[in-house]
Amino acid sequence: MSLGAQLSIVPDRIRQDGHLLSDYIEEYGINIATIPPSLLGTIQYNNFCELGTLVVAGEPCSTGLMEDWSRDRRLVNAYGPTEGTV
């Protein structure tokens, strides 16, 4: 069975710039994304129409950032020891 999903691997130059990444998410209608909190913090909150699930991982995420970005979507805090996340 095919659900029509597509994996987007964001080019390095875009992946390291919050503004470019924001534009990319909007342009390609990304609906699930994993973004480290330090990069997410550089993106102005946007109610991306398609982004239904946002995963933050790789480092601790502030409560404020989680509160902002969990509006209108599911936010998963996947930060933790490797042994606990595998």
Side-chain angles (χ1 to χ4, degrees), residues 21-59:
L21 182 59
S22 179
D23 291 346
Y24 186 92
I25 291 169
E26 192 72 43
E27 180 180 347
Y28 289 94
I30 304 298
N31 56 12
I32 301 172
T34 301
I35 303 174
S38 57
L39 179 58
L40 188 61
T42 68
I43 300 173
Q44 182 176 352
Y45 174 80
N46 184 330
N47 184 18
F48 296 109
C49 296
E50 301 293 325
L51 187 60
T53 302
L54 176 61
V55 180
V56 291
E59 58 197 32

Side-chain angles (χ1 to χ4, degrees), residues 5-6 8 14 19 23-24 26 29 32 42 55 59 65 71 73 75 77 79 82 84-85:
Q6 175 178 320
S8 293
I14 294 172
H19 181 71
D23 291 346
Y24 186 92
E26 192 72 43
I32 301 172
T42 68
V55 180
E59 58 197 32
L65 199 58
R71 289 182 277 162
R73 71 184 46 87
L75 185 132
N77 184 358
Y79 175 72
T82 304
T85 58

